[in-house]
């Protein structure tokens, strides 16, 4: 058995071996726009970028089709599912209109940062994003940051105008995500976003029972604000890939580690 293998291997081995490819609970590949930087303070700029990012191409080229899409949702939010798909779709005419209505109608120059430790998916994704936003007049220079320095630059100093990110938590609940990724100055809020209502709702739902009648409306409201503001653009949900030969009983666990108690020889 090979545990946590790269997506490329998982896409090539099913003809020879048994492959379990499971979307990781509460884990998201995202494009983050630091709202403390101009021109990302303008929501129309963020929406224009969200609408032109080629998510399908990223899933196929960067993840070799492994994982799950995080695009194609309707604008209506009627549940508390998480991760939640984005309602934005590729529409060059709409994207151009959004940018034209922004403070940067002619486009601008910026830097898109990636981690060398995560280059297997980040680099192809970044190249596709660079090409796509170029159609709007946005010139992007790619910056490769060594993995040893990535956490400091992205999460501690929070100094990257645009960057790719993988974030997730053991708790597969939206309130857990909003706590860490959308509340002011919290570790995974690498977009430096802040919305007073989201902060209040996040604090209220964190210790609320999920079957409380007030829980779902509050979560839905936060999700709506997140997609309206778009400091973080979901791309896809990564996969945990496990290849097995001569064994049966593999089970995916939320903690993303292997539990061998369920294993048995194939055919036993």
């Amino acid at each position: 058995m090979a545990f946590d293998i790269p997506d490329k291997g998982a896409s090539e081995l099913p003809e020879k071996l048994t492959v379990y490819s499971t979307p990781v609970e509460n884990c998201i590949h995202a494009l983050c726009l630091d709202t403390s930087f101009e021109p990302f303070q303008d929501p129309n700029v963020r929406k224009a970028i969200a609408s032109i990012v080629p998510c399908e191409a990223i899933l196929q080229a960067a993840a070799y089709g492994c994982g799950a899409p995080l695009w194609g949702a309707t604008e209506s939010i009627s549940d508390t599912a998480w991760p939640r798909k984005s309602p934005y779709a590729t529409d060059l005419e709409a994207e151009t209109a959004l940018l034209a209505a922004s403070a940067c109608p002619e486009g601008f120059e910026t830097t898109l940062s990636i981690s060398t430790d995560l280059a297997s998916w980040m680099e192809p994704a970044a190249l596709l994003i660079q090409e796509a936003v170029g159609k709007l007049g946005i010139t992007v220079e790619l910056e490769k940051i060594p993995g040893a320095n990535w956490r400091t630059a992205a999460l501690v100093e929070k100094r990257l105008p645009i960057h790719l990110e993988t974030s997730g938590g053991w708790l597969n609940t939206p309130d857990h995500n909003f706590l860490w990724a959308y509340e002011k100055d919290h570790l995974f809020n690498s977009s430096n976003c802040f919305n007073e209502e989201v902060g209040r709702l996040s604090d209220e739902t964190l210790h609320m029972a999920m079957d409380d009648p007030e829980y779902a409306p509050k979560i839905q409201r936060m999700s709506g604000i997140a997609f309206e503001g778009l400091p973080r653009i979901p791309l896809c949900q990564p996969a945990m890939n496990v290849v097995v030969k001569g064994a049966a009983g593999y089970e995916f666990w939320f903690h993303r580690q292997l539990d061998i108690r369920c294993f048995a020889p194939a055919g036993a």
Side-chain angles (χ1 to χ4, degrees):
M1 185 203 66
F3 182 70
D4 197 16
I5 68 168
D7 292 329
K8 187 176 188 295
S11 68
E12 296 173 345
L13 291 174
E15 296 180 2
K16 304 175 183 179
L17 300 166
T18 300
V19 177
Y20 297 91
S21 186
T22 309
V24 178
E25 293 185 358
N26 203 22
C27 195
I28 302 172
H29 284 340
L31 177 65
C32 299
L33 311 175
D34 192 328
T35 56
S36 68
F37 282 82
E38 290 187 86
F40 304 122
Q41 295 173 354
D42 190 324
N44 282 325
V45 172
R46 302 196 297 269
K47 290 177 183 178
I49 292 174
S51 298
I52 204 169
V53 169
C55 293
E56 173 67 35
I58 289 172
L59 179 63
Q60 298 304 322
Y64 295 87
C66 297
L70 285 178
W71 68 90
T74 62
E75 292 187 9
S76 174
I77 298 175
S78 58
D79 57 38
T80 61
W82 198 267
R84 179 170 294 282
K85 293 182 178 180
S86 165
Y88 291 85
T90 303
D91 183 341
L92 186 57
E93 185 176 339
E95 296 140 11
T96 303
L98 283 165
L99 196 64
S102 76
C104 306
E106 303 301 323
F108 53 90
E109 297 182 3
T110 190
T111 301
L112 170 56
S113 304
I114 65 173
S115 168
T116 56
D117 277 2
L118 301 171
S120 60
W121 82 267
M122 282 190 175
E123 187 163 7
L127 290 171
L128 287 166
I129 292 167
Q130 181 186 46
E131 178 184 14
V133 300
K135 299 173 184 177
L136 297 176
I138 301 173
T139 302
V140 168
E141 178 183 355
L142 300 186
E143 177 190 29
K144 299 179 182 179
I145 298 177
N149 301 331
W150 177 255
R151 188 178 179 91
T152 298
L155 303 182
V156 179
E157 296 177 349
K158 304 183 191 296
R159 58 174 175 81
L160 308 178
I162 312 182
H163 54 286
L164 290 168
E165 180 182 278
T166 298
S167 62
W170 285 2
L171 302 180
N172 196 22
T173 59
D175 51 272
H176 183 70
N177 172 81
F178 280 107
L179 169 71
W180 287 105
Y182 287 86
E183 286 217 37
K184 185 175 177 61
D185 297 329
H186 281 207
L187 182 63
F188 295 106
N189 184 358
S190 59
S191 297
N192 281 310
C193 62
F194 172 68
N195 179 283
E196 187 174 346
E197 185 178 3
V198 168
R200 176 177 58 80
L201 292 172
S202 174
D203 291 342
E204 290 174 358
T205 55
L206 188 63
H207 301 289
M208 184 179 289
M210 296 179 71
D211 59 358
D212 188 305
E214 295 186 9
Y215 181 81
K218 292 177 185 291
I219 293 296
Q220 291 162 13
R221 174 60 181 161
M222 282 196 290
S223 297
I225 294 172
F227 282 125
E228 179 63 25
L230 278 177
R232 300 160 59 85
I233 302 168
L235 302 174
C236 59
Q237 195 173 349
M240 169 66 74
N241 303 308
V242 177
V243 177
V244 175
K245 180 180 181 181
Y250 168 75
E251 294 181 18
F252 171 83
W253 282 81
F254 69 93
H255 47 60
R256 308 173 208 168
Q257 302 300 317
L258 185 64
D259 186 340
I260 64 172
R261 293 173 297 177
C262 55
F263 273 93

